[in-house]
Amino acid sequence: MQISKTQGSEPLLTIEDLHTHFMLDEGAAKAVNGLSLEIPKGKTVGLVGESGCGKTVTAYSIMRLVQPPGKIVAGKIILNGKDGKKVLTELSEAQMCKVRGNEIAMIFQEPMTSLNPVHSIGNQIAEGIILHQKLGRKEAFNRAVEMLEKVRIPAPAQRAREYPHQLSGGMRQRAMIAMALACEPVLLIADEPTTALDVTIQAQVLELMKELQEQMGMTILMITHDLGVIADMADEVIIMYAGKVVERCGTNDIFYDNKHPYTKGLLDSIPKLGKVTDGPLNVIGGAVPHPLLLPKGCSFGPRCRHRMDICRQMPQLKNLNDNHFVRCWLYDKEN
């Protein structure tokens, strides 16, 4: 097992050989299949891959929110949090409740399905503050109003008394950010936080997240399939495929010195501004394998134009240089 490391930066979160499976009648669906990585303090790390690669299941595993038939079957998740190191995979549910929302918070893909429609925005934000900060209801509600103001929602005192359906999509996403940051977590997991927003609002939300990160000194794990968001937000990028890390490096290297055939395929699939093409857009042939039917060896092998006989064996994640990691036999010196 090899874990990606970042020079000169202490890890806030370490994942060691994580396996999260869904126990189905047909067998174990290996959604996360031996994931190892580190997230350094104070940085934004982008987690990228197609739908079905295991990105969201990774986030739910960190939060310990995987529901049956899903289960973390092996591995460790270690948080270097507010009061020392904790092995999250060994905590009881009661202990984990003290971590969620307080030390680790999450912004979900669609705020309308994450916010409770029968409670006001202010009361929903205040709930976490009451639980973790031990404030009275009035103080917590006032703190909720302050958080809405911090995320630049107009008339925050009025909006705090309104319900999710009364807010626009952009305001709901800002309210979700306010809720996530109310207890000043050390790690924010943002799962496709701008997917349902138009381009202008998306840019505003991303800029807001960067400003709040700088003010609060928190770490962000940004989960997305949008490489434009990664270019704007991330210090480092992890490319995930079939439950494993296949490439990890700095953001510039992902765009200008990428190595893995899957990474190259993702970037080649992006239309180039100002470039006129007569034929169809580039695509990666095939699809992400079903977690019940993972191929032997390299999971990307059936879709890879560089496939070799040795690809029937799973390559290890190797450090090429300057903490640029890649899982591919093309870069194995012994091959």
Side-chain angles (χ1 to χ4, degrees):
M1 178 185 67
Q2 188 169 11
I3 300 175
S4 315
K5 293 187 180 294
T6 304
Q7 291 180 330
S9 188
E10 184 181 6
L12 176 75
L13 188 84
T14 303
I15 299 178
E16 298 179 354
D17 198 26
L18 179 68
H19 294 257
T20 302
H21 298 174
F22 288 81
M23 307 305 178
L24 307 177
D25 292 340
E26 300 89 341
K30 301 174 182 179
V32 176
N33 188 29
L35 181 71
S36 296
L37 58 88
E38 289 187 347
I39 300 176
K41 286 185 176 179
K43 301 290 186 180
T44 297
V45 175
L47 186 59
V48 181
E50 295 169 276
S51 297
C53 283
K55 306 185 301 298
T56 296
V57 176
T58 297
Y60 277 69
S61 298
I62 294 170
M63 297 291 288
R64 291 271 308 275
L65 290 173
V66 178
Q67 298 297 311
K71 182 181 180 182
I72 296 174
V73 298
K76 286 185 177 181
I77 303 171
I78 304 165
L79 176 69
N80 189 10
K82 293 180 178 179
D83 54 357
K85 290 189 177 181
K86 301 181 181 73
V87 182
L88 302 183
T89 42
E90 296 177 359
L91 297 183
S92 67
E93 179 58 25
Q95 291 170 321
M96 195 64 206
C97 282
K98 296 178 181 178
V99 174
R100 292 189 204 105
N102 187 32
E103 296 192 74
I104 307 176
M106 186 167 174
I107 303 171
F108 297 90
Q109 287 189 33
E110 175 47 61
M112 198 59 188
T113 59
S114 303
L115 294 168
N116 192 322
V118 300
H119 291 284
S120 70
I121 295 295
N123 283 338
Q124 292 186 61
I125 298 172
E127 184 178 0
I129 299 171
I130 293 168
L131 176 64
H132 297 298
Q133 305 289 316
K134 308 303 181 186
L135 296 180
R137 184 159 295 278
K138 184 176 180 181
E139 290 176 294
F141 191 87
N142 290 338
R143 168 73 173 156
V145 174
E146 290 174 10
M147 288 305 302
L148 291 175
E149 184 175 18
K150 183 172 282 191
V151 299
R152 297 202 290 273
I153 286 184
Q158 173 191 334
R159 296 299 185 183
R161 291 173 171 79
E162 293 181 346
Y163 294 83
H165 72 274
Q166 295 176 280
L167 274 62
S168 67
M171 281 191 182
R172 286 195 294 267
Q173 195 61 282
R174 289 170 187 265
M176 284 292 296
I177 294 172
M179 186 183 302
L181 301 186
C183 297
E184 300 186 355
V186 293
L187 174 63
L188 175 66
I189 301 173
D191 186 7
E192 302 278 8
T194 59
T195 296
L197 305 178
D198 64 50
V199 175
T200 303
I201 302 300
Q202 173 178 297
Q204 293 174 0
V205 168
L206 294 177
E207 189 61 32
L208 173 64
M209 291 178 67
K210 286 192 284 188
E211 289 179 15
L212 293 173
Q213 179 184 29
E214 187 173 339
Q215 291 172 17
M216 302 172 70
M218 66 182 171
T219 302
I220 297 177
L221 176 62
M222 176 71 69
I223 298 173
T224 183
H225 63 274
D226 189 335
L227 288 165
V229 170
I230 291 300
D232 187 38
M233 289 288 294
D235 299 297
E236 301 175 32
V237 185
I238 296 168
I239 305 295
M240 190 171 181
Y241 187 82
K244 290 183 181 290
V245 175
V246 296
E247 186 162 6
R248 173 173 184 156
C249 58
T251 304
N252 284 340
D253 284 344
I254 280 293
F255 289 97
Y256 301 111
D257 190 28
N258 52 76
K259 302 296 185 185
H260 198 280
Y262 179 58
T263 309
K264 293 180 182 294
L266 289 177
L267 286 160
D268 288 344
S269 300
I270 301 173
K272 305 297 187 291
L273 188 65
K275 183 178 179 180
V276 179
T277 56
D278 295 329
L281 295 173
N282 293 320
V283 297
I284 304 175
V288 178
H290 192 283
L292 272 172
L293 303 169
L294 294 177
K296 291 183 178 180
C298 176
S299 298
F300 188 63
R303 306 175 71 187
C304 182
R305 60 190 178 91
H306 299 288
R307 187 174 185 180
M308 304 173 285
D309 287 342
I310 198 171
C311 297
R312 295 191 182 97
Q313 304 172 38
M314 177 62 73
Q316 297 298 309
L317 193 65
K318 294 185 178 294
N319 189 352
L320 300 183
N321 55 66
D322 295 329
N323 286 287
H324 190 149
F325 293 80
V326 65
R327 187 188 301 277
C328 183
W329 289 113
L330 290 173
Y331 304 97
D332 192 298
K333 294 179 182 178
E334 298 177 1
N335 180 36

